[in-house]
Amino acid sequence: MGMPTWWGQRRYGLFVHANIATVPAWSPIGQYADWYWSHLGDDVPDTMLMPRPLVEVLAHHRDRWDFVERFDDFLPLLTFDRFDAEEWARLAVDAGMGYTVFVAKHHDGLCWWDAPNTDRTAVEHGPRRNVLAEYAAACERNDLVFGTYYSLLDWGDPRYPDADYVEEVLHPHVIDLVERYGSSVLWGDGHWGHSPATWRTADLLAGLWKRQPDLIVNDRWSASPDDVPEGSPPILRTFEYDPPAGIVDGPWELCRGIGSSFGHNRAERAEHHLTGYDIVALLTEVVAKGGNLLLNVGPAADGTVPELQAEPLREAGTWVRRHARLIERARPWSTWGDDDVRYLMVDDELCVVDIGARGRFPAIDPSALRVTAVRSADGTDLDFDQDGDGLQLRLPRLGPLSGGPAVDGVDVDVEV
């Protein structure tokens, strides 16, 4: 069966990160604010990927949060009193997205639903509501495929990482997300501290694929391709922040935040966030290389998505929705392009996205391809020249998008 049909059509998704660190919501620019507990230097396990402690976080905590003695003392301040699941879902739709992955449990162990065998949940503490259930329902109403992130690492459960943790927490939680909440994507993380044998990954995934054969599982469960039963999707390859250099065969996904942190970071300003233009440039690069883009927002402690994150999503969404066929139906060409141009095949048609607004497409070499017609995205015929430097438009017709050069898609008819 391979990947489910929706995966190749919904190439752009919304990642949503929140945890207890959403309350202080601070890290130096370039660090992940969702790792605040580790940055404080507390004795939490398996923090090998991030520096600990961070002197900047220690200074910030002393100046702003000196009255907070234990990390869990932040939990009552995680109110989510303005959380509206419908607003989150509508933001994804307005952005032109087709799926979403919600962080059901991050490394701090707070579960955002009524998870079994634990009272460390947003239903019992903080928001005192089933945030995951509300968001899953809103996604169904808005035709968004719903997926969940789950951290195998758990700083808040004393059973971690013993066999009791795996048996009583990890496996029941993940099964619950798939069986009861219909998660179509199981996005693992926090796997680095122990082997797949510790997590009993093969047993867990075998049971899940038996229940839901088209379940998508990413590579952070450290599962082997041999663990995948015939007919189920191959393991999804994950890239974080940095896209691959070229076209990649097989299913893959790039994840990153609008800013340089997944969790909300009060230190970030507009200049630290992607613009609408940046998002379009990144999305078209990812699609041209054969992947999907999972772009993250970090809600604030009141449950709202800060406008610094929402605004560029909506702005990019005007372009994405207008050029939906380039995202929903495009496949890689022989080359993905460069900093100025993206090359895409849509059905049997070569399309180019003029990211640099230069009207020059050097890969369309007349020695291999003879251009017979060029049209703008709205179907208008465009005048062009083709020589040893490739294809050049005489008068590029480009649509505006703030935050960078004008961007438009161009259809090219060629003869081989």
Side-chain angles (χ1 to χ4, degrees), residues 249-304:
D249 293 331
W252 65 273
E253 181 181 63
L254 174 69
C255 68
R256 65 153 294 161
I258 298 285
S260 58
S261 171
F262 286 100
H264 176 41
N265 186 0
R266 301 175 200 262
E268 292 183 343
R269 300 292 182 261
E271 61 268 25
H272 303 123
H273 292 75
L274 298 177
T275 65
Y277 168 81
D278 294 332
I279 292 172
V280 170
L282 179 61
L283 175 60
T284 53
E285 177 184 350
V286 168
V287 171
K289 292 177 177 178
N292 285 26
L293 175 62
L294 186 62
L295 193 56
N296 180 83
V297 295
D302 64 1
T304 61

Side-chain angles (χ1 to χ4, degrees), residues 29-110:
I29 302 301
Q31 297 292 335
Y32 292 172
D34 32 295
W35 280 66
Y36 193 91
W37 194 354
S38 172
H39 292 162
L40 285 174
D42 289 0
D43 186 20
V44 292
D46 299 333
T47 60
M48 63 191 76
L49 298 182
M50 296 288 176
R52 178 172 68 108
L54 280 181
V55 294
E56 299 96 331
V57 172
L58 292 175
H60 172 82
H61 189 79
R62 183 181 61 248
D63 293 343
R64 174 65 178 84
W65 299 102
D66 192 48
F67 61 93
V68 175
E69 297 182 359
R70 300 182 309 115
F71 179 77
D72 275 7
D73 292 340
F74 283 120
L75 190 47
L77 305 177
L78 187 65
T79 63
F80 261 49
D81 55 308
R82 296 177 60 197
F83 166 64
D84 185 333
E86 192 70 20
E87 287 187 1
W88 284 13
R90 289 306 308 171
L91 176 61
V93 171
D94 290 346
M97 295 165 164
Y99 70 105
T100 186
V101 175
F102 175 65
V103 173
K105 188 196 79 170
H106 202 257
H107 310 327
D108 63 2
L110 178 68

